[in-house]
Amino acid sequence: MARIVTTGSYLPKNIIKNDFFDKPINPEELAVIEKYMTGMSQRRHADKSETGLYMAIKAAEQAVERSAYQVNDIHMIIGNITPNQHLLPEDLNIVAAELGCENTTVLPINTACSSFLTSL
C-alpha cells in the first residue's frame, strides 16, 4: 500500500517585513493591513545561493531526517521545483541523486493541484 510517510520544507533565510514595501501613515494602519488585507506579516526572499534546486534538496534532506527510513527505502519523490534550472532532465532527478537514492522514481508536479491528485 502506498502512503505519504513524511514531508520536508525549506524557507529562505532572508525575512522581509511588510513595512519594507510601504510605510503607512501610522503603525495602527500597518497592523490593519497585515491582518486583514494581506494575511501575512513577512515574506521570504531567496539569495543567489538559494536556488529552487538547493531548496528542494534541503527539503528532501529534512523529510528523510524526519522519517524512520533511509534514502534507499524511498520509492518515489513527488514534488515541484519552480523555477527549474534544467528543463530536461527534471530537477527532481537531481534531488534523488543528491540524496543518494537508488531506483527511485520522481513525479514532478508542474501543473497545479490536479497533477498532485492524479499522482495520489
Side-chain angles (χ1 to χ4, degrees):
M1 177 172 83
R3 60 192 170 114
I4 297 172
V5 295
T6 188
T7 62
S9 64
Y10 177 86
L11 293 173
K13 304 287 185 220
N14 189 15
I15 298 172
I16 298 175
K17 303 265 185 188
N18 278 348
D19 58 4
F20 173 82
F21 298 102
D22 192 15
K23 302 267 187 216
I25 296 170
N26 61 52
E28 291 172 3
E29 273 188 51
L30 178 60
V32 170
I33 290 169
E34 288 176 349
K35 185 173 182 183
Y36 298 107
M37 302 299 277
T38 67
M40 62 182 109
S41 61
Q42 65 184 17
R43 292 158 179 82
R44 301 287 178 139
H45 185 268
D47 66 27
K48 290 181 181 180
S49 67
E50 293 175 310
T51 64
L53 181 57
Y54 173 84
M55 290 187 273
I57 291 167
K58 291 297 183 189
E61 289 171 348
Q62 182 188 72
V64 172
E65 288 172 9
R66 289 178 173 178
S67 76
Y69 298 95
Q70 302 298 315
V71 292
N72 287 328
D73 298 325
I74 299 171
H75 299 289
M76 179 176 279
I77 296 174
I78 302 171
N80 180 10
I81 302 173
T82 305
N84 278 346
Q85 286 183 271
H86 309 91
L87 182 57
L88 293 171
E90 167 63 42
D91 283 353
L92 283 180
N93 290 314
I94 299 170
V95 172
E98 286 291 320
L99 287 178
C101 298
E102 296 178 9
N103 301 315
T104 299
T105 302
V106 298
L107 179 62
I109 305 168
N110 296 328
T111 56
C113 60
S114 62
S115 294
F116 181 70
L117 295 174
T118 301
S119 69
L120 289 178

